[in-house]
Structures are given as C-alpha cells and as structure tokens.
Amino acid sequence: MHVVTFTRSTPDTAAKVWVNEEGEVTWGDIATVVNPWDEYSLEETIAQAKIFGGRSTAIAIGAELHNDALKHSMAMGIKNVLRVDEVGVDTGDSLVWSALAAGAIRKLGDVDLIIFGKESVDVGSDQHTYQLARRLGWTMLSYVSAIIETDYVAGTIKVEKMLEQGKQIVSANLPAVVSVMKGINEPRYPNFLGIRKAAKAQIPVWSAADLGVDTPAAATRALRYMNPPARDISTEIIAGADLEEKAAVLADRLFEEKVL
Amino acid sequence: MSVFVWIETFGGAAISSSWEALGAAQSIAEALKTETVAIVFGEDSAAIAAEAGRFGVARALTCDAESLSEYRLESYAALLSKLVVDRKPDAVVAVATNRGRELLASAAADSESGLISDVISLRVADGSIIGTRPAYAGKVMMEMTCNTSTTFVTVRGRAFLPPLPDASVLPTIETVAPEKIPAQLQSTVEELVAELGSVNLADAAIIVSGGRGLANNPASAPGGISGEQANIWKAKDGFANTLRPLADVLGAAIGASRAAVDAGYIPYEHQVGQTGKVVTPDLYIACGISGAIQHQAGMRGSKIIVAINKDAAAPIFKLARYGIVGDLYEVVPALTEALKKKLP
C-alpha cells in the first residue's frame, strides 16, 4: 500500500509579496515554508500510510527551492521524498505540471492513493490536482473534510466532501486522488529526530526523460504580474457623543455608500 | 466558433452565480463575434436551458441521462470533454465553485487546453482571451492567456454581472447523448446533508466577521468552565448572540479570522483569508479582528470595510473606510439597533 502526496515551497503566509520594478514577483529575503494547505495533506498521508503499514512518499515538481518543502515533509514523518525537475516546469502551467506528476506516479507503479492540500497558494489554484486525476484516469474526490474509511484490500474509500450547499458522503474505488481541507486533522510538528534525518537526506531528482514523459508545451502564458490597485482609503473614525450616536452615524454612512 | 457556458445546477435548478458566468461568457462571445451556447446537464436540463434563454442564450446543449442526474465529476467531465473535442468552442466558461473548478480543469486536461481560473476580469485582444486573476492569495494580480484553440475560464463569484433578462429569446435546445452509463461510474453519492439557511460566503453581499476579540465577552461562562474553555464558550456565545443578530438584520453571512477558527471559536467553513475563503462583498464588517496580512488577503477586495476594534492601532483600521474604536460587545448591539430603525 502506497500513499503519495505532492508538496511545494511557497512564501510564508505572513510574508508581504509584491511585484518589483522588473515586473517579477518577490517576497524579499523571507524564507519559504511548506505550502500552508499541504500541512493537512502531509498529516493525512502519514496517518493513512501508518494505519495500513504502507509506504508514504512526498513529491515536489519544480526547482531546488522545493527541497525545503520535501525536507519539512520528511521531518514530519513522510518516509520517501523525490523531486521532478525539468526545463519549463516552473512556469506554473498545470498541464505541464500534471504530465510530469502523472509520469512520476506511473514510474512508482504501486500507488493506491494520492492526497493533495486544497490548493497551492503561490499559483493560487487547484487545477493541477484535478488534471493529475484525469491524466491517470483515477477518481477525484475534492474538498474532502474527512476520510471516513479506506479499505486497501477491497480497494475502496469513503469520504465526507464539502459543497457550497452542505456536505456529501461519497464512496469510490481506489486508486483515487483526494484533496483535503484545513480542519481535516491537526498537523503534527516536525520532531527533532525527523529534522536531523531530513537534514542529511539526499533527495533523488528525476527528469522528464527519467519518467519517459514528453513534456507538453505550456497551454497558458502569464503576460504580466501587477500589484493590486492601491486602495485609496481615507479612514473615517466615527465620532460621536456616545455609542448610540456613533452607531447612528455609521448606519447613515452605510446608507450613503449604498451598500445596504 | 462558439463560447460554451456551463450552467451549474443544484436540486434541479440553476445556481444563481451561473448567470454571472453567462454574463462573462456573453462578453467574450460579443468580442469574438460568435454565439454563446449554454451547457446544461442533469435533471430538468431543458427547463433550465429555457431559463437561460430568458437571459439571451439562443442555443443550448442538454443531457439529462441517468448518469448525469446527480452531479459526479466523472460523468460530467466525460461529456463536457467530448463536446469540446467535437465542437471546438473558442472558450468554455463556468463559475469558480467547487464543482465548476474541478469540471473545467478536468475537461481542459482531456482536451489539452489552457485554463485560466478564478478570473475577476476578462478582455479580448487580437482574438486572444486575457483573464486577470489573483495569485499569492490575492497579494499579487496576474494577466494570463492561453496558447490553445480553446480557452477554459472559471470566473470568481460576484466578479461579473448576470445579463439583463431578455424575454424575446427562445433557445434552440439540442439533446446530446451521455458518455457514461451509471454502471461505469467509480463513485457513489451515499448521502447529502444540505445546510439550508446558511449563507454562502462567496455569494454574500454583506459579511459580518469576528476575530479573537470575540473572547472578551462580558457574559460569564457557566460554572465549571474555565481557562481556554471559558474563552471558547464566550466567543461562541458572541458569534451566536452578538454578531448573528447584526448579520440577521443585514441578511449577511458570518465570517471569521484564522485566529478565531484555530482557537475553536467557530468552524473552519467561516474562515476568511489566505487559508480560508477569499471574499469580495459590498460590505465587510470586521469585529474584534486585528487584520493580519493573511486575513487581509481574503477580504481586501471588499467594497466597503468597517472595522470595530478596541485597539486604535490595529492594522485593520488602515484598510477600513469606517472605523469605531471600542468594545465590540458594546458597539455591535448599538449598531444592530441603529440599523433596525433604518431598515424596513
């Protein structure tokens, strides 16, 4: 039984990210962290592999920067890590990403379950998760808030999924791709032994040729990055003799703004 | 030449944000001088296609076969992919709901097409569709285009206006055959627990949001509850009995900061911010929220932000159009009363 998760390094959530004068996205000298949504998928992968005494692997698709996320994964308790690096992989194109990811899964050969965090905060998208499932021809279970049951002998999984309209219980055949929400578990902290092990780990790097994949041309192109329009806000701190007056003034202002 | 728009349905009716996707699709179709085609799958698809007609759609492709009666990605994606490969539309548009995201990404992969997700504005230049979308949780915006003959686009809720109703159009409806029969499907929906009456944050025009400050509730927790448990009790009481009445007066959804969610004050579904939902309401009332950068990433696109906080130096005031410095447990009830007098 083999559970795989994909992860990547992204700027710290508290980091200021902006577009510099060269038009490039930057976050200064602030260190990257593991993609915040991946804390949950890493925890879920470790837990699933442990229940059934199976293998756990974390894969990053991209440049050396993503070794940090893989080391974090190991420090949390993921047993195997590897990275796929190829020219053009860092454009953020999800078809290129998913072609390489599918190649890695096929090369591993024995994967039953892939667990993703809901999205990658850097590209701000989840499309690569669905596209990997399509390329493999596996069932996709997204927005999962609980894995209720997995049976690797029968080859089935049952999950609770979140919808805008409520929740759904869905069962499916394995192999499957699952994307999990925050709140599905309490991610563990890396422990000291894990950190030491991760620091010494040699991370194997596979190329498209190693995977036997013809990297497709990117289907999308980023034309330019922009800082969000500066909000020209003059804040009015509501004044008044007492609370009732302040509240009435604020209510008036909201009517004047036509937002009620 | 055509622009497809997927009309998402739930319980046999179109979801209202589907018409926003239609508005976006029509703007592309107009720029490309082509027609908009509504794609409707599932029960009552013909009636829903007719409803699309009232928004000016002249053509629809529908399928209400058994494998599509209940939404499942595998049957929906198989049919949408087939229609895209056969009919080669210039664009395929849907709203970026949970289902819209996974369906369009899947069909884009099947047809080796580019997808621009979570778009907030669209334009056409030299025949190319260009979408503007947030990245890095809204800290940065990007313009993106596709190199493929079909461009898939998911639009963020509340970013596009639905078209004006046009009663004169009767759409031509073509029924298409399904790609899957039920026996081929690998997943089964066992149960649906609909949460009726809850307002969807992504669709909400007004959001009343609470943060860590909710724990400073003057109401005292029942005997026997102390420490962090008492804070949790106080904050939950504050969400239910202080913020909820304001939200009810305004018809608003309830949001929360990550700090409030992580502390166990309110379920994760309510979280606004970098690892929660990104929202763009007309009015966002932040109560007892300091305004960490992760929270700002989720709500800075709101039209009018109101901050209520005891700490006059809280960063949230820098983002707010209006602020009241004071204890939310005094300010919010006063505001609720003031609004009750003014609202019908």
Side-chain angles (χ1 to χ4, degrees), chain B residues 4-31:
Chain B
F4 282 7
V5 55
W6 180 53
I7 305 299
E8 182 175 346
T9 63
F10 188 80
I15 66 165
S16 61
S17 52
S18 280
W19 308 125
E20 297 171 11
L22 175 57
Q26 286 181 344
S27 73
I28 299 174
E30 199 172 308

Side-chain angles (χ1 to χ4, degrees), chain A residues 10-31 121-122 224-230, chain B residues 134-142 274 293 297 300:
Chain A
T10 64
D12 192 310
T13 53
K16 184 174 182 280
V17 179
W18 73 96
V19 181
N20 65 18
E21 283 170 9
E22 284 77 48
E24 297 155 344
V25 177
T26 179
W27 47 89
D29 310 327
I30 294 179
V121 293
D122 49 358
R224 64 185 179 122
Y225 290 92
M226 299 156 286
N227 289 308
Chain B
Y136 297 90
K139 292 172 185 171
V140 162
M141 305 301 294
M142 67 190 292
Q274 182 152 338
I293 190 165
R300 58 177 296 145

Side-chain angles (χ1 to χ4, degrees), chain B residues 63-205:
Chain B
C63 183
D64 58 5
E66 200 189 339
S67 64
L68 298 148
S69 64
E70 185 163 42
Y71 171 89
R72 256 161 308 165
L73 177 61
E74 36 188 329
S75 51
Y76 275 57
L79 182 53
L80 180 59
S81 300
K82 170 94 166 54
L83 294 174
V84 169
V85 169
D86 286 353
R87 301 178 190 228
K88 303 181 175 54
D90 299 287
V92 182
V93 183
V95 68
T97 55
N98 296 10
R99 289 174 172 179
R101 286 165 187 274
E102 64 176 20
L103 177 61
L104 263 61
S106 300
D110 291 352
S111 59
E112 295 289 333
S113 304
L115 162 62
I116 316 174
S117 61
D118 241 339
V119 161
I120 57 163
S121 73
L122 280 167
R123 64 192 170 90
V124 174
D126 301 327
S128 294
I129 298 163
I130 298 168
T132 303
R133 63 182 301 275
Y136 297 90
K139 292 172 185 171
V140 162
M141 305 301 294
M142 67 190 292
E143 276 188 350
M144 204 176 209
T145 192
C146 291
N147 306 322
T148 50
S149 56
T150 299
T151 297
F152 282 72
V153 175
T154 61
V155 298
R156 179 164 280 189
R158 295 179 49 78
F160 292 85
L161 289 174
L164 293 173
D166 176 358
S168 64
V169 181
L170 266 179
T172 310
I173 298 174
E174 180 187 342
T175 309
V176 295
E179 278 294 290
K180 299 260 184 194
I181 57 166
Q184 291 173 308
L185 301 182
Q186 298 294 311
S187 65
T188 314
V189 179
E190 303 205 341
E191 198 183 327
L192 170 70
V193 189
E195 283 166 8
L196 297 170
S198 67
V199 184
N200 181 356
L201 279 175
D203 290 341

Side-chain angles (χ1 to χ4, degrees), chain A residues 232-248:
Chain A
D232 189 15
I233 309 162
S234 55
T235 306
E236 179 186 344
I237 299 293
I238 305 287
D242 56 23
L243 208 51
E244 281 62 41
E245 192 183 327
K246 286 182 190 176

Side-chain angles (χ1 to χ4, degrees), chain A residues 134 142 167 231 252 257, chain B residues 102 110 193 300 322 342:
Chain A
R134 287 310 278 186
S142 60
K167 284 175 180 170
R231 288 178 65 102
D252 284 342
E257 296 280 2
Chain B
E102 64 176 20
D110 291 352
V193 189
R300 58 177 296 145
Y322 300 106
K342 290 185 154 282

